[in-house]
Amino acid sequence: MADRYLNFTGTAPGRFLTRRLGLPQPSPLRRWTPEHPYLEGELLLLTAGESAHGPELSTVLSRTHLDLAAESSSPAAVVVDATGISDVPALSEVHAALHPVVRSVAENGRVVVLGAPVSPSDHHQAAAQQALEGFVRSLGKELGRGRTATLVRMSSAAAAESTLRFLLSPRSAYVSGQVIEVGETEPPTTPVDWDRPLAGRTALVTGAARGIGAAVAEVLARDGARVVVLDVPSAQAELVRVADRLGGTALPLDITADDAGDRMASALAPADLDILVHNAGITRDRRLANMPSDRWDPVLDVNLTSVLRTTDALLKSGTLNRGGRVVATASIAGIAGNVGQTNYAASKAGIIGLVRSLAPVASAEHGVTVNAVAPGFIETKMTAAVPLFIREAGRRMNSLAQGGLPVDVAETTAWFASPGSGGVNGQVVRVCGQSLLGS
Ligand code: NAI
């Protein structure tokens, strides 16, 4: 369903009229294209407080394809290294660094603030570092013109390279107002080729016959992965079309089947699995008072129970390789809740619980990371079916004043899946243009 309002505000009369009426002014987002795979322009690197990462950080940032600059009249991106901020007075340095330049950040530009892990024992450091979260989330709401703001808490610049490359690229166009923690990896994992980071890897994507899942499979294949696409047997024709287009394999299978994990493993043999994307999901909306169990059970079964069951089976059987990645799909409804969605929101909040609990265990025992994307309003068949006024509200009620595209969720999934993202574990990253719901 085309976003006619976004098209209208892109015309001169449309811009004039909507400005006069004080209506939202969405900027068309710049996404990845083969012709323009990187942000173009200058990257301004600023420091607030004493940085522990100086030279290493500059080296990492110099590989983003942006031109590292100490001054710029219109930077495509600004990175503020605030990792050394250890008390509240030092926060004034963050203000002093960004205040003079924030207005000049280019359309579709990025502001990335680097913080340190919040200390469990130094409450002054904890107060100052946590303050950065409120700062960045507010800045994301102020920036406008397709510009985004993100906080990355990191302990090493090398471990954060894949995250910084993602955030400082068009791939993260619909990710704003997020806080991402990147831990240490020993040794740091790095793709052989950053432009095809998934070369030689095998990915299985559930619910991939259409919508977000098909886009995920496409982006993983673009990044070099061999893809196995899974969907219900009744969607086989669409599924085979996706598989053929991507040179992958179709696996018609209902993920709620008791033996779904085993059947996934045998479909992959003799190869093993590197990337498991749990994308399949359903809604059966109704207010709780009107919701019979036959609308409750299937939603919990598809969206949560089958994710738990198949992940456990693939980890236990050793099908998921060391260095593997599990990416599950939550939703902002699982964070904020939604009328008519007690079943769906419970299932998606359950995904967040699963991710946070399994991540450290899977990493320690299997060398596998576990993360989740939490999409906001994404333009798909699911959201096209939403009544007009609710759809319009969903689209506009975020800092970028527009809906996201399936490819935005796919790019975030590909970043989690990268061999370079070994330090990204147990994270729930919202792909929602910084939705007002559940912020
Ligand atoms: P969609 O309905 O277009 O696609 C979902 C796919 O999952 C379908 O192809 C369907 O056949 C498949 N599927 C359903 N049950 C299955 C089963 N038992 N076994 C195997 N495959 C099954 O949905 P969409 O919009 O692409 O959503 C994808 C994921 O993103 C879902 O988990 C959804 O909850 C989540 N999401 C979507 C949002 C949106 O705005 N579209 C917002 C937040 C989350």
Side-chain angles (χ1 to χ4, degrees):
M1 178 72 61
D3 185 343
R4 294 211 185 96
Y5 182 82
L6 177 63
N7 297 340
F8 180 57
T9 53
T11 64
R15 203 160 31 244
F16 174 77
L17 186 68
T18 51
R19 278 216 177 110
R20 288 292 290 267
L21 293 171
L23 293 171
Q25 300 291 311
S27 283
L29 300 183
R30 247 205 69 193
R31 296 183 167 87
W32 182 96
T33 62
E35 296 76 31
H36 297 284
Y38 312 115
L39 286 185
E40 284 146 26
E42 289 175 322
L43 189 168
L44 192 57
L45 173 58
L46 307 171
T47 306
E50 290 280 309
S51 170
H53 305 291
E56 193 190 27
L57 178 61
S58 303
T59 309
V60 166
L61 293 177
S62 69
R63 295 199 283 254
T64 57
H65 300 266
L66 287 156
D67 300 320
L68 210 50
E71 279 179 39
S72 173
S73 58
S74 181
V78 179
V79 173
V80 184
D81 181 355
T83 52
I85 301 281
S86 56
D87 58 21
V88 173
L91 283 171
S92 63
E93 295 186 41
V94 178
H95 169 265
L98 270 171
H99 167 70
V101 301
V102 71
R103 213 189 294 269
S104 67
V105 177
E107 187 155 355
N108 280 298
R110 304 281 187 269
V111 176
V112 177
V113 176
L114 305 178
V118 175
S119 168
S121 55
D122 176 351
H123 57 289
H124 288 260
Q125 191 269 9
Q129 286 294 330
Q130 189 72 33
L132 294 175
E133 196 168 316
F135 173 81
V136 165
R137 291 198 205 273
S138 299
L139 185 57
K141 294 184 177 187
E142 290 179 8
L143 282 170
R145 295 170 53 219
R147 300 176 296 182
T148 68
T150 322
L151 173 63
V152 178
R153 293 203 180 109
M154 61 174 210
S155 25
S156 117
E161 178 160 353
S162 82
T163 301
L164 294 173
R165 282 178 181 255
F166 169 66
L167 293 173
L168 296 168
S169 82
R171 298 171 190 229
S172 58
Y174 201 59
V175 176
S176 191
Q178 299 305 291
V179 179
I180 297 164
E181 302 218 5
V182 186
E184 292 282 3
T185 45
E186 262 324 312
T189 47
T190 319
V192 178
D193 174 358
W194 282 99
D195 289 329
R196 275 176 74 78
L198 306 180
R201 307 221 150 195
T202 300
L204 184 136
V205 184
T206 71
R210 65 179 199 199
I212 295 172
V216 169
E218 182 160 355
V219 168
L220 298 182
R222 176 202 71 188
D223 283 357
R226 178 178 89 87
V227 290
V228 178
V229 289
L230 178 155
D231 211 298
V232 285
S234 59
Q236 185 161 1
E238 282 169 287
L239 188 66
V240 167
R241 269 198 294 278
V242 173
D244 288 350
R245 189 157 48 82
L246 304 178
T249 312
L251 175 56
L253 175 66
D254 186 329
I255 53 168
T256 61
D258 286 342
D259 60 349
D262 295 340
R263 289 174 57 190
M264 287 178 186
S266 39
L268 289 158
D272 289 334
L273 184 62
D274 302 291
I275 301 157
L276 171 60
V277 182
H278 292 292
N279 162 80
I282 58 167
T283 51
R284 295 283 183 274
D285 294 359
R286 194 142 312 162
R287 284 171 189 255
L288 182 62
N290 302 325
M291 186 183 293
S293 59
D294 65 3
R295 294 182 87 85
W296 172 274
D297 294 338
V299 171
L300 270 293
D301 209 15
V302 173
N303 296 3
L304 184 57
T305 312
S306 65
V307 174
L308 283 160
R309 202 187 306 118
T310 53
T311 306
D312 287 350
L314 293 169
L315 279 173
K316 201 168 154 214
S317 63
T319 308
L320 261 164
N321 285 325
R322 287 199 81 74
R325 307 277 184 254
V326 177
V327 184
T329 307
S331 162
I332 57 167
I335 298 168
N338 204 8
V339 173
Q341 293 200 314
T342 51
N343 51 357
Y344 182 76
S347 71
K348 295 300 190 179
I351 289 290
I352 297 174
L354 149 70
V355 163
R356 293 201 175 132
S357 171
L358 180 61
V361 179
S363 158
E365 292 179 7
H366 304 278
V368 169
T369 64
V370 185
N371 293 288
V373 284
F377 184 97
I378 305 295
E379 306 278 358
T380 61
K381 273 192 184 155
M382 189 163 122
T383 47
V386 172
L388 176 69
F389 286 107
I390 301 175
R391 187 167 71 228
E392 250 324 279
R395 269 182 180 149
R396 299 305 151 217
M397 278 168 52
N398 59 73
S399 299
L400 298 171
Q402 59 197 286
L405 300 181
V407 72
D408 297 321
V409 182
E411 296 283 13
T412 305
T413 303
W415 154 61
F416 280 140
S418 167
S421 298
V424 182
N425 195 23
Q427 302 298 296
V428 178
V429 172
R430 302 197 301 154
V431 184
C432 64
Q434 196 179 20
S435 168
L436 295 181
L437 299 177
S439 330

